[in-house]
Amino acid sequence: GAGVSQSPSNKVTEKGKDVELRCDPISGHTALYWYRQRLGQGLEFLIYFQGNSAPDKSGLPSDRFSAERTGESVSTLTIQRTQQEDSAVYLCASSLWGSGETQYFGPGTRLLVL
Amino acid sequence: LAKTTQPISMDSYEGQEVNITCSHNNIATNDYITWYQQFPSQGPRFIIQGYKTKVTNEVASLFIPADRKSSTLSLPRVSLSDTAVYYCLVGDGSGGFKTIFGAGTRLFVKA
């Protein structure tokens, strides 16, 4: 596995439906990050994992958003009862440890809520 | 957490040197300064990282003054393909940090 992969690459859903986004980090990377990027905007931090634990969830915009990580690898970001304002690109990144380490980003999942 | 300020946009011409300055007045002692580049429809990509003085790699140089309250990314002889958004990021290096990218600087290189 060369880099960070994310799936699906694109997701169109109807308002009120739940969606699950997946991130496969680089093997051996203990730190994993989720960001949201609205069109033409910068990156908005959502959550950070160190191993399987999330010491900082302060960026999650509402209780409709949740994330988990298992086996220090795959992470899923779940958005329940999606709203139109959830439409954005959701980016995942991983780094070796987390302490100022370079973050390697995936291609993102483009979510459109109709 | 150190906050960063960058110009919103910059224009340049092919072959010119471009310098993008980032302000981070409340940078902490153990903070690193990292710059990322983002092309449309892609995730950001690491360019360069430094702590103090000057760092150079095959892509860019990073200049950090002694007080570390700012940093300047220098791109030598830009080409059209350098048109992108450039983000300055300051991390506390203490293990697990909330990262704030900000809006970045949109560089547009003209022919």
Side-chain angles (χ1 to χ4, degrees):
Chain A
V4 178
S5 60
Q6 293 186 244
S7 61
S9 54
N10 292 280
K11 177 71 177 179
V12 180
T13 189
E14 294 179 346
K15 179 181 172 181
K17 295 287 179 70
D18 297 351
V19 295
E20 189 172 279
L21 312 180
R22 176 186 169 109
C23 172
D24 283 88
I26 293 173
S27 178
H29 280 194
T30 60
L32 186 147
Y33 307 78
W34 282 100
Y35 297 89
R36 177 169 70 178
Q37 188 170 36
R38 293 198 167 103
L39 187 63
Q41 310 268 323
L43 279 75
E44 176 186 4
F45 171 86
L46 297 179
I47 190 169
Y48 159 83
F49 285 92
Q50 182 68 24
N52 293 337
S53 66
D56 190 342
K57 302 179 182 179
S58 61
L60 294 176
S62 76
D63 59 7
R64 296 186 295 105
F65 287 72
S66 62
E68 63 176 22
R69 187 181 185 195
T70 55
E72 293 197 356
S73 57
V74 173
S75 175
T76 55
L77 176 68
T78 301
I79 309 174
Q80 295 178 310
R81 305 181 302 282
T82 52
Q83 304 293 313
Q84 288 182 332
E85 64 261 26
D86 298 333
S87 296
V89 175
Y90 289 82
L91 289 158
C92 174
S94 70
S95 68
L96 189 60
W97 184 249
S99 306
E101 293 283 339
T102 299
Q103 294 183 37
Y104 296 87
F105 283 81
T109 293
R110 287 153 189 76
L111 175 66
L112 177 61
V113 181
L114 301 175
Chain B
L1 195 68
K3 186 176 180 180
T4 60
T5 303
Q6 305 173 233
I8 294 173
S9 65
M10 295 180 69
D11 288 346
S12 182
Y13 288 92
E14 281 190 293
Q16 290 189 331
E17 178 184 79
V18 171
N19 296 306
I20 306 174
T21 297
C22 178
S23 297
H24 27 80
N25 291 320
N26 57 340
I27 189 169
T29 302
N30 54 353
D31 279 353
Y32 287 87
I33 300 158
T34 310
W35 285 80
Y36 289 82
Q37 174 191 56
Q38 186 179 29
F39 297 114
S41 301
Q42 294 185 26
R45 183 181 69 165
F46 170 86
I47 300 176
I48 197 166
Q49 184 181 69
Y51 183 80
K52 62 180 178 180
T53 62
K54 177 184 174 182
V55 180
T56 298
N57 61 21
E58 65 278 5
V59 177
S61 295
L62 179 60
F63 298 92
I64 305 168
D67 65 5
R68 304 200 325 123
K69 293 184 182 300
S70 67
S71 59
T72 299
L73 174 72
S74 181
L75 305 172
R77 298 181 297 280
V78 294
S79 64
L80 296 176
S81 62
D82 292 317
T83 294
V85 178
Y86 293 82
Y87 296 95
C88 164
L89 179 65
V90 177
D92 66 18
S94 63
F97 55 92
K98 177 178 178 179
T99 53
I100 299 177
F101 273 74
T105 297
R106 295 181 178 277
L107 173 65
F108 185 67
V109 180
K110 307 173 188 176

